Amino acid sequence: MSASVVMILTGVLVATACALPGVFLVLRRMAMMADAISHAILPGIVAGYFLAQGPSLPAGFAGASLAAIVTVALVEALQHTRRVGGESAIGIVFPAMFALGVLLVSKYFANVHLDTDAVLYGNIEFAAFDVWLVNDLNLGPRSLWVMGALCVINLLFVGLCFKELKLATFDPGLAAALGFSPVLIHYALMAVVSVTTVGAFTAVGAILVVAFMIAPAAAAYLLTDDLGRMIALAIGIGAASALSGWFVALALDASVAGAMATMSGLFFLLALFFSPSHGLVARARRLRRQRLRLALENLVVHLLNHEHQVSEAHEAEIAHLSSELRWSPRFARWIVAIAKRDQLVQQANGYLSLTAAGRDLARQAAASRDREG
Amino acid sequence: MELLRDWLFDYTLRNVALGSALLGVVSGALGCFAVLRRQGLLGDVLAHAALPGICIAYLLTNAKTPIVLLLGAAAAGWVAALLMMQIVRHTRIGEDGALGIVLSTFFAFGIVLLTFITKRGDADHSGLDAFLFGQAAALVEEDVVTMAVLGGFALLAVALFYKEFKLLAFDAPFAASLGFDTNALGVLLTSLIVIAVVIGLQTVGVVLMAALLVGPAVAARQWTSRLSAMIVLSALFGALAGLIGTLISVSDESLPTGPMIILSLTGIVLLSLCLAPERGLVWDAMRRALQRRMIKAED
């Protein structure tokens, strides 16, 4: 396998493994916990390195998982004291753990393989050269084995606990009443996040793993209302980010993991603006349509109220409309133009009168407003 | 005695100590408002988001003057804060999701630019990755002067808008009903926090900046319930952590300054949480134990 294929495959596997727990982090509003865990595992990894006298996967996993548990417990203990707000507790615990990790690295491994920059943004470029040897048998790149296993584990977790996760996420009260422990689900999810972060750490580092977990899931959240579809979309967006990011990195000769994570941010931005259901553009258009409809209704109801009155002529002047309905003159002219185009009103001798269609709309609107009180 | 002599006459040490203490004062004072408004992690996001700004400023000007890079960082931090606000206000993604996305993807873009600059073969790039972990030991007099000017400006603004910020922190709807433009005040406060973050990047780096805003404020909160006293205490704690961290790292060459500052700060936070009068957890436990004994005695 060529080095490029290994990099892309690793990226896709990282994206898939991260998207699965990421969806639930976004839905449960715990995204920053991923950030805290990904930083806080550093001292655990260093301790594992220290104990195993070198890079060792099991020791690293054990140390990092322990550090992740300590972090979650510390954050919750701090919140439990009620002396510290939730987000402040996170902001105290993870920098302290990270500082401890950096301290250990620079004190004991200043000249060793553990590069502090790689801690932040990973070393996916070397994925192809770090092969797994068992009794001199070359089993291929280690990163593919690790991330592939994590994908399987996370798929099994989400697949087997789908109902429980869904219930505990959307209605924790009901989940507890039915006998599923939301606390248990919470810790299971935290465990999955920790293990995934540790596995992805060598490839993409402490900060970019947060992008892989949160950005595709958040983009998917803006595109669908169905949990199953959201998970599938998050995985798809993550994989697309990995693939397109690799080409960007190739073109710029820049960090591969960084480019992949940047692309996931770009995909999120696209969803943020152009999602048909929750995007900013669609939202703005919906608001504009509602405002227009309301203004048209106001116009025809106003004209209907004053039809066949002595003051009819005066009330139907465009200039008067803007002060009566509190519209700017420009807005009033615009609404009248649209009303004329839709043949709701007609203009004769400088003042407006209702057409038959306009009168119908006005009666409907007035009736529905009366009903709503 | 020897330490004191070093203090006064060693040029490098004086700069590092002064810079760290200054940073502690500024971030301590501003952190109070961030923590009270439950925006403790805002500093974390702004610090990460500053990285692409620094790189773009460098790419545009090819200069490593601190003020140019800091302007780039401030601009990027501003864009990040704005984007975050839009996401929270107009979509169903929660505040933490918005923080996470902006933080990680801005940083990712910064890493792309940083590696791009490095591989372009510029001999002169070396200063930029110092922002990742900070390089307090490399602070020179020019940096300290820049920090003092920017920090002084931020503190002055806090003094001028003290009443408005206080109202905003404790009762924003009330502030709005009195006719204050709470949006504009929020933007001003965020901009001041950007300044604190930007001067912190050189000293403690991207990751540890979050703690410098949150830590002193949380510690100070345990000792007092008055905002003015909290700000002063918080600034003092920040400065103290900066000084202790610097001194420890000077005593042993292999100990990096940034992490030592954060660990000293964590110590101050823990001491405050346990021992502060009234709110201290130790007194709490003692009171409870005493009550338990009294109840047992009554039985």
Side-chain angles (χ1 to χ4, degrees), chain A residues 18 35 38 46 51 56 106 113 149-150 155 159 194 198-199 295:
Chain A
C18 287
D35 186 48
S38 74
V46 179
L51 289 177
S56 149
S106 35
H113 210 57
L150 282 173
L155 275 171
S194 311
V198 180

Side-chain angles (χ1 to χ4, degrees), chain A residues 34-35 38-39 98 118-122 197 201 204-210:
Chain A
D35 186 48
S38 74
H39 285 89
F98 192 76
V119 161
L120 293 183
Y121 55 87
T197 311
F201 195 86
V204 299
I207 301 179
L208 303 186
V209 70
V210 181

Side-chain angles (χ1 to χ4, degrees), chain A residues 270-286:
Chain A
L270 283 177
L272 175 66
F273 280 101
F274 302 115
S275 157
S277 47
H278 298 280
L280 294 183
V281 172
R283 201 186 123 91
R285 282 171 67 175
R286 212 163 36 236

Side-chain angles (χ1 to χ4, degrees), chain B residues 269-290:
Chain B
V269 172
L270 288 181
L271 278 180
S272 303
L273 275 172
C274 291
L275 297 178
E278 289 187 37
R279 282 168 71 97
L281 294 172
V282 171
W283 317 138
D284 226 32
M286 278 169 69
R287 261 195 302 273
R288 226 171 302 151
L290 198 68

Side-chain angles (χ1 to χ4, degrees), chain A residues 283-299 326-328 330-332 334-335 338 369:
Chain A
R283 201 186 123 91
R285 282 171 67 175
R286 212 163 36 236
L287 281 178
R288 200 179 115 107
R289 239 191 344 262
Q290 280 170 359
R291 189 163 152 237
L292 184 65
R293 178 160 178 85
L294 187 71
L296 283 176
E297 284 184 8
N298 280 345
L299 174 67
R326 304 208 173 159
W327 290 347
S328 73
R330 225 178 102 219
F331 186 73
W334 182 59
I335 292 298
I338 288 173
R369 282 177 195 187

Side-chain angles (χ1 to χ4, degrees), chain A residues 29 31 83 107 221 225 255, chain B residues 92 96 111 115 252 279:
Chain A
R29 318 224 143 179
R83 306 308 201 258
K107 179 104 182 129
Y221 191 30
D225 291 331
S255 154
Chain B
R92 53 181 176 172
D96 63 299
I111 290 298
T115 45
D252 180 345
R279 282 168 71 97

